[in-house]
Amino acid sequence: MPHALPIELLHSLQRIKGFDEAAFIAAHTIENQITSIRVNPAKPSNSVNSTLLSAEKIPWCTNGYYLQERPSFTLDPHFHAGAYYVQEASSMFLETVMKQTIDLNASLKVLDLCAAPGGKSTLIQSLISTDSFLVSNEVIKTRVNILAENITKWGAANVVVTNNDPKDFQRLANYFDVIVVDAPCSGSGLFRKDNVAISEWSMDNVALCSQRQQRILADVVSSLKPGGVLIYSTCSYSEVENENIAEWLTKENTFESCKINFQENWGIVETAKNDVYGYRFYPDKIKGEGFFIAAFKRNEDVNAQKLKQKPINQKSTVTKSQFEYLSKWINPKLVIEYFNWKNEVIALPYILLQEMANLQSALYIKKIGINIGSAIRNELIPSHELAVSTILTPDVETINLKLEDALQFLRLQHFELTDTKPGWKLIVYNELPLGFIKSMSNRFNNYYPREWRIFNK
Ligand code: SAM
């Protein structure tokens, strides 16, 4: 049974546009679990799409769907293969905002500042072009692993995962074309999913969150290029964390608010105070949870200094002979660069190789591009990252498993194989790569990462 909503929250929302107390309380009273997913357009998706034929589409996101019921994601190999991401529907509106404020065909440098566990980052990655890249950052060290895991499963080579404080980005002045700040907040928008959030909610915490949001934004804005776009969002209903922050941004910083168009029947509420626009999602008006989003354009500044491009570190680029055996593992249709990093080989698009030195000198990099494995004695020992990436060659030898064996593979438990020819084999379920095994004459080793294995029976 859901907890009662905090009276102080209800009072504080009385005069806010779109707030309808009775409907809002009712939406929190009925047990209404909404489950939504976003399909990964870069992975083979026939089998996922066939299960979604009757699913309702989320109107503001191309690959977003509402599921009729919540399945066991743990027991779905498609989930582990990165074929989709389970994401709250309202937050997928980021797609509409990005499409209307940014030229997504351009070559862009994008920062997702508060990125763990990776919902917005995986969405952003699907929207940007292949000659763009995304820095997906999380300040809290213990949350970086789950972010890196989700980015790895998503499979793209144009993402960097970093573990930095917002103020570290001041080292990259006027650098990013787009910055997304999905800020830590008081979390009232998620009350229906999280009863603990209700008991922990207080006006004092809302005020603290608001101050922290200002601090985060103040720390990071100088790394946005003049003319660049800043997108700010929270999952809070409180004005001091939403419209007031938006207003502060346009007053104290050199930002202009962006108006977003959407269909009226989507149920989103636009708030506009002194020409500063914000977009509210109330659970009694839309099929999703509470959310707020606003977009801004940084004013042009002719005097802004561009960051000087640091040269590519030639010592870490691969040799010609290395290139020959490495490139056999990569889809020949892609233009990919390689470099040696801590005894491993990284594959990445040229734009990232070019920016690598700038990023390395400013940030703590947890993961960059695709770590394709270690190069030992003219051979690549392929990594799990390569197996689930979208750059792997289609010519790799594969073994297709049925559901029960695929789950045994993901549990790191025994399953029978009739194919015993020695060598590396890609384990595939419904066209989707799950990981590598190495076959010997009478047995095989499973290379699925131990820390990701599933325990569920
Ligand atoms: N964008 C994520 C997604 O869509 O999956 C959710 C982000 S969550 C709303 C906010 C994130 O901000 C959390 O991962 C949290 O660890 C991080 N955070 C907490 N304090 C922060 C701070 N002072 N500066 C920057 N990020 C912070």
Side-chain angles (χ1 to χ4, degrees):
M1 183 63 196
H3 290 188
L5 295 170
I7 300 290
E8 282 175 299
L9 172 69
L10 298 175
H11 280 169
S12 71
L13 299 179
Q14 293 301 330
R15 286 187 327 276
I16 307 224
K17 191 173 165 197
F19 180 64
D20 172 344
E21 185 168 357
F24 183 83
I25 293 173
H28 284 82
T29 315
I30 39 172
E31 288 287 341
N32 186 11
Q33 273 282 356
I34 298 166
T35 304
S36 45
I37 64 166
R38 186 168 36 74
V39 174
N40 185 345
K43 296 236 170 172
S45 52
N46 281 345
S47 54
V48 180
N49 287 345
S50 62
T51 64
L52 291 173
L53 281 178
S54 58
E56 185 187 345
K57 283 214 67 186
I58 298 174
W60 46 81
C61 179
T62 318
N63 298 305
Y65 295 87
Y66 295 109
L67 301 187
Q68 271 157 0
E69 52 192 36
R70 193 176 179 86
S72 164
F73 292 115
T74 311
L75 293 179
D76 181 9
H78 300 107
F79 171 72
H80 301 281
Y84 60 84
Y85 191 94
V86 183
Q87 186 176 31
E88 196 287 299
S90 308
S91 58
M92 296 185 206
F93 188 65
L94 173 63
E95 172 173 322
T96 300
V97 174
M98 286 185 70
K99 281 183 168 165
Q100 288 185 29
T101 54
I102 301 157
D103 174 8
L104 291 168
N105 295 316
S107 171
L108 301 170
K109 298 176 187 141
V110 184
L111 167 63
D112 182 8
L113 183 69
C114 311
K120 308 282 181 314
S121 279
T122 50
L123 173 56
I124 296 165
Q125 193 288 321
S126 300
L127 293 171
I128 60 179
S129 64
T130 45
D131 56 357
S132 300
F133 72 87
L134 168 67
V135 175
S136 180
N137 178 70
E138 170 57 45
V139 65
I140 299 184
K141 208 171 172 190
T142 50
R143 290 172 60 82
V144 184
N145 281 345
I146 185 66
L147 174 62
E149 179 179 335
N150 286 329
I151 295 293
T152 298
K153 287 179 175 166
W154 207 245
N158 60 348
V159 185
V160 188
V161 176
T162 59
N163 174 210
N164 283 86
D165 190 273
K167 67 175 173 312
D168 296 343
F169 289 87
Q170 289 169 9
R171 300 175 194 138
L172 294 169
N174 307 315
Y175 185 78
F176 292 102
D177 299 280
V178 181
I179 297 182
V180 175
V181 178
D182 186 31
C185 69
S186 60
S188 45
L190 298 182
F191 278 175
R192 294 201 302 180
K193 288 195 174 241
D194 183 4
N195 269 336
V196 180
I198 303 185
S199 50
E200 285 177 353
W201 188 93
S202 69
M203 284 302 267
D204 284 349
N205 191 38
V206 169
L208 280 175
C209 286
S210 173
Q211 284 163 15
R212 182 169 56 181
Q213 288 146 358
Q214 285 192 11
R215 204 168 54 238
I216 291 172
L217 288 163
D219 281 345
V220 80
V221 286
S222 63
S223 67
L224 184 68
K225 267 185 200 163
V229 171
L230 171 69
I231 299 174
Y232 173 76
S233 62
T234 72
C235 54
S236 160
Y237 299 108
S238 296
E239 196 177 25
V240 291
E241 297 182 72
N242 297 331
E243 285 83 358
N244 291 8
I245 297 284
E247 237 190 310
W248 167 81
L249 265 172
T250 53
K251 272 203 193 120
E252 301 287 317
N253 296 280
T254 52
F255 284 103
E256 230 173 76
S257 171
C258 303
K259 187 173 167 67
I260 307 297
N261 300 313
F262 55 89
Q263 286 182 26
E264 211 172 299
N265 64 4
W266 290 358
I268 300 164
V269 174
E270 180 185 85
T271 54
K273 222 169 145 187
N274 304 328
D275 285 335
V276 180
Y277 301 99
Y279 298 88
R280 284 186 164 256
F281 291 67
Y282 292 102
D284 50 291
K285 295 188 168 55
I286 47 103
K287 198 167 166 185
E289 304 310 311
F291 185 61
F292 173 86
I293 192 162
F296 309 86
K297 200 167 177 167
R298 187 175 170 193
N299 293 338
E300 296 290 347
D301 172 0
V302 280
N303 298 318
Q305 297 280 314
K306 250 182 107 179
L307 195 76
K308 221 171 138 213
Q309 182 84 49
K310 287 194 168 59
I312 294 169
N313 179 356
Q314 295 299 340
K315 266 195 253 160
S316 57
T317 53
V318 299
T319 61
K320 206 167 163 227
S321 68
Q322 257 189 320
F323 180 85
E324 261 158 40
Y325 67 82
L326 295 177
S327 52
K328 286 194 190 120
W329 287 90
I330 305 298
N331 186 335
K333 288 192 185 140
L334 302 175
V335 182
I336 288 286
E337 308 287 333
Y338 306 91
F339 75 92
N340 292 298
W341 201 35
K342 301 177 187 166
N343 304 324
E344 308 278 303
V345 181
I346 307 291
L348 74 189
Y350 182 71
I351 182 165
L352 254 190
L353 181 69
Q354 201 186 15
E355 294 300 329
M356 175 86 195
N358 277 337
L359 296 171
Q360 257 180 325
S361 66
L363 305 172
Y364 174 73
I365 295 179
K366 168 81 180 170
K367 161 179 157 55
I368 182 164
I370 307 289
N371 177 336
I372 62 170
S374 23
I376 299 171
R377 286 186 291 277
N378 291 343
E379 208 188 308
L380 180 76
I381 313 295
S383 67
H384 181 70
E385 259 190 70
L386 176 62
V388 292
S389 77
T390 53
I391 64 169
L392 180 67
T393 175
D395 294 335
V396 68
E397 271 190 66
T398 57
I399 296 177
N400 293 292
L401 295 186
K402 294 253 173 7
L403 178 63
E404 202 31 60
D405 283 349
L407 290 172
Q408 286 295 87
F409 171 78
L410 295 169
R411 291 180 184 118
L412 289 178
Q413 293 200 351
H414 180 73
F415 59 96
E416 291 293 336
L417 276 187
T418 43
D419 177 336
T420 50
K421 265 191 258 144
W424 291 100
K425 310 279 160 75
L426 184 71
I427 294 295
V428 171
Y429 173 74
N430 267 345
E431 298 174 69
L432 283 154
L434 295 179
F436 283 118
I437 60 160
K438 189 170 187 190
S439 268
M440 273 71 86
S441 49
N442 54 0
R443 63 187 180 89
F444 63 89
N445 288 339
N446 183 339
Y447 281 81
Y448 193 73
R450 274 194 84 69
E451 62 281 16
W452 294 3
R453 72 189 184 280
I454 60 173
F455 292 99
N456 208 315
K457 285 282 153 204

